[in-house]
Amino acid sequence: MTLLRLFLWFFALAYLLPLAISAGLYFNSGSGAGWRIADRSSAGLLPPAAAHRPALVRVFAAQTVRWRGIFATHCWIVFKPEGAAAYTRYDYTAWGEPIRMNGFEADGRWFGHAPETVFALDGAEAAAMIPALRDAIASYARRERGDYRAGRDPTPTPSSPP
């Protein structure tokens, strides 16, 4: 019985306490004005594209909307080839076309939540990565309506049905 009690205390401290803290922080910050009118403006993380000549690759992440924000973030990819006048943003969403190009500001808030930079690359290394990113996006297997499933591995494998 002592081992079971020890396990339950460990579970409470290692899993339930962080979850409760995350939920408390989320509810304390408020869920915003609602997804329909939430702020999606630029968070000012990127320089104006025309003023930034080198190639650029960024991955951004922001807290998701409503209760999912306790657990999850939404991530997206932004890139700009050298000398390009605009950024290109790709999102994978649960509504409309799953792969969305330039549906939102490149460094825009995700339904009111400011993004954080997860990955940054500039210059020649970014320029070398952009063709691979374009190829990966173009050949992504789960690109049809209905393919998006939150919480599942988005990449089909030979042992899992599409």
Side-chain angles (χ1 to χ4, degrees):
M1 191 57 110
T2 307
L3 187 59
L4 177 60
R5 187 175 288 212
L6 183 63
F7 172 76
L8 290 174
W9 274 108
F10 175 76
F11 179 75
L13 288 173
Y15 182 75
L16 296 178
L17 182 62
L19 182 60
I21 291 170
S22 180
L25 291 172
Y26 174 77
F27 288 114
N28 187 45
S29 70
S31 59
W35 65 270
R36 286 188 178 112
I37 58 171
D39 182 9
R40 294 179 186 90
S41 66
S42 170
L45 300 176
L46 293 171
H52 185 80
R53 181 141 181 80
L56 175 144
V57 173
R58 296 287 187 274
V59 176
F60 292 112
Q63 185 180 34
T64 60
V65 295
R66 298 194 306 226
W67 64 268
R68 291 175 191 91
I70 297 168
F71 305 98
T73 59
H74 173 77
C75 299
W76 63 94
I77 298 170
V78 174
F79 58 81
K80 181 189 81 68
E82 182 175 351
Y87 294 105
T88 302
R89 173 179 169 160
Y90 284 97
D91 291 88
Y92 189 63
T93 62
W95 70 92
E97 295 300 319
I99 297 178
R100 184 172 304 226
M101 184 176 90
N102 296 329
F104 310 96
E105 291 283 336
D107 61 349
R109 289 167 176 77
W110 187 248
F111 296 95
H113 299 285
E116 296 179 27
T117 303
V118 176
F119 177 80
L121 197 60
D122 291 280
E125 290 175 311
M129 182 181 273
I130 290 172
L133 288 172
R134 284 186 173 138
D135 290 345
I137 292 165
S139 65
Y140 191 66
R142 296 197 185 270
R143 61 183 311 110
E144 301 301 321
R145 288 178 186 254
D147 284 347
Y148 182 95
R149 298 284 187 274
R152 112 175 148 189
D153 179 9
T155 308
T157 62
S159 62
S160 68

